[in-house]
Amino acid sequence: MDSKEPDFEFLTKKPYVPPSWAAHLNHVPTHIFSLGQFPTPIHKWNLPNLPKNTEVYLKVLLDKDPGLSGNLLVERLIGAHINLVSEQEFASIGSVGLTNLLKERLLSKGRKPYVIPVGGSNSLGTWGYIEAIREIKDQLRKGNGEVAFDDIVVACGSGGTVAGLSVGSWLSELGAKVHAFSIYYDPEYLYEYTQGLFDGLQVGVCSLDIVDIQNASTFINMLIKNFTTNEAKGLGYDVNTTEELIFIKEIAEATGVVLDPVYSGKAAYGMMKDMARNPEKWEGRKVMFIHTGGVLSLFDKTEQMASLVGTWRRLDIQE
């Protein structure tokens, strides 16, 4: 038996060394905590009805998803203190104002709060997905060299994931175009917001040049219940059409991959709609789809999905 201790990095703190192609950026993290077992695998995803000679690969990454029952239950199990606000308060005060309010209250009680913005989407937070690009490049380098991705597809929430992936792909010369399917903010806002993240990093590139953001309507329209639909956003944040849930069920049956209804499910639905509508745009391309997790939010859809997954029957037991 080998007496060498196994490498164990989960939940350990260690100095962060950026990839060489990103070392010149601003806001380089000083340390990193590993919150998962890496690298996560890349699998060929045999989606039905793809355009001619198109290949889609799946990479699963870990992320948080604000499912009402699933995540909140887990958070309470581990002792998190939950402070609730209404949609109207969030819209009128904003996430920055609300978190600053809570920060000041905690400081007055002698606590030492650290504020993480919505989605972790600030210039420092983008390093998580810059690091994801390094992981992808390392996996491709160690593979057989036959797969070179033309495109990366991912759901877009608050913008940090898209910013990190696109600037990482651009700086590292991975060369994959990032396509973001927004699930509530409109593309104009997200282009502007990701540009602010790029400027904070001192990247020196225009967001319009390195990322394609599509299929969204404004967050404020979602808050006032304007249910104008499109393929990616659907009815609004954490609200699903029957067609979206049927799509999630069919993909699970056909490929064994379970998508979440808030982020990756809507992004995959939008991607497949775009492929069906514009097959010449995707023909012959190799596409990596980033699955950012969030499957717990499926448990919020049990009533809506009950009629879709009713494949059960009483076992006939003979004496």
Side-chain angles (χ1 to χ4, degrees), residues 12-17 29-34 131:
T12 58
K13 177 182 177 181
K14 60 181 180 180
Y16 179 71
V17 180
T30 58
H31 291 80
I32 187 171
F33 285 87
S34 179
E131 188 65 21

Side-chain angles (χ1 to χ4, degrees), residues 24-26 167 170-171 197-205 210:
H24 65 287
L25 298 180
N26 202 8
V167 75
W170 179 68
L171 286 176
L197 299 181
F198 291 169
D199 293 344
L201 292 171
Q202 298 181 353
V203 177
V205 67
I210 64 172

Side-chain angles (χ1 to χ4, degrees), residues 34-72:
S34 179
L35 300 179
Q37 300 292 350
F38 300 103
T40 58
I42 298 173
H43 296 294
K44 191 171 183 180
W45 196 14
N46 295 317
L47 289 168
N49 304 317
L50 291 174
K52 184 178 180 181
N53 296 324
T54 300
E55 296 179 7
V56 178
Y57 292 76
L58 180 73
K59 184 166 177 66
V60 180
L61 296 176
L62 304 178
D63 197 3
K64 289 203 68 177
D65 177 282
L68 177 61
S69 61
N71 278 358
L72 288 181

Side-chain angles (χ1 to χ4, degrees), residues 224-269:
I224 62 175
K225 308 302 183 184
N226 181 351
F227 292 136
T228 301
T229 64
N230 57 59
E231 278 79 19
K233 179 178 177 289
L235 295 178
Y237 182 76
D238 200 18
V239 183
N240 295 99
T241 65
T242 301
E243 289 75 17
E244 289 169 351
L245 296 179
I246 290 174
F247 172 81
I248 289 172
K249 175 180 181 290
E250 290 177 344
I251 294 303
E253 287 182 341
T255 71
V257 174
V258 180
L259 297 166
D260 78 285
V262 180
Y263 292 100
S264 293
K266 289 189 175 184
Y269 183 74

Side-chain angles (χ1 to χ4, degrees), residues 40-147:
T40 58
I42 298 173
H43 296 294
K44 191 171 183 180
W45 196 14
N46 295 317
L47 289 168
N49 304 317
L50 291 174
K52 184 178 180 181
N53 296 324
T54 300
E55 296 179 7
V56 178
Y57 292 76
L58 180 73
K59 184 166 177 66
V60 180
L61 296 176
L62 304 178
D63 197 3
K64 289 203 68 177
D65 177 282
L68 177 61
S69 61
N71 278 358
L72 288 181
L73 174 60
V74 173
E75 288 162 3
R76 287 168 176 165
L77 281 173
I78 62 174
H81 297 279
I82 310 297
N83 291 270
L84 301 178
V85 297
S86 68
E87 289 182 348
Q88 291 73 23
E89 290 169 331
F90 184 87
S92 62
I93 302 173
S95 63
V96 174
L98 289 168
T99 51
N100 283 339
L101 173 65
L102 183 57
K103 175 184 176 181
E104 292 303 320
R105 289 181 179 177
L106 291 171
L107 286 171
S108 68
K109 296 178 181 179
R111 306 296 295 272
K112 296 181 179 180
Y114 181 83
V115 175
I116 300 174
V118 171
S121 294
N122 58 13
S123 294
L124 177 62
T126 60
W127 280 92
Y129 279 91
I130 292 174
E131 188 65 21
I133 291 294
R134 171 156 65 176
E135 179 180 312
I136 292 168
K137 281 181 64 67
D138 287 346
Q139 287 176 283
L140 297 180
R141 178 176 53 82
K142 294 174 182 177
N144 55 22
E146 294 180 359
V147 177

Side-chain angles (χ1 to χ4, degrees), residues 247-301:
F247 172 81
I248 289 172
K249 175 180 181 290
E250 290 177 344
I251 294 303
E253 287 182 341
T255 71
V257 174
V258 180
L259 297 166
D260 78 285
V262 180
Y263 292 100
S264 293
K266 289 189 175 184
Y269 183 74
M271 177 185 72
M272 295 300 291
K273 285 286 187 180
D274 195 42
M275 286 182 172
R277 193 166 43 232
N278 305 296
E280 69 285 349
K281 171 183 171 182
W282 299 92
E283 282 181 1
R285 300 183 71 82
K286 288 184 171 62
V287 182
M288 173 181 284
F289 182 88
I290 304 287
H291 189 325
T292 51
V295 176
L296 284 175
S297 58
L298 272 173
F299 292 99
D300 296 335
K301 310 295 178 181

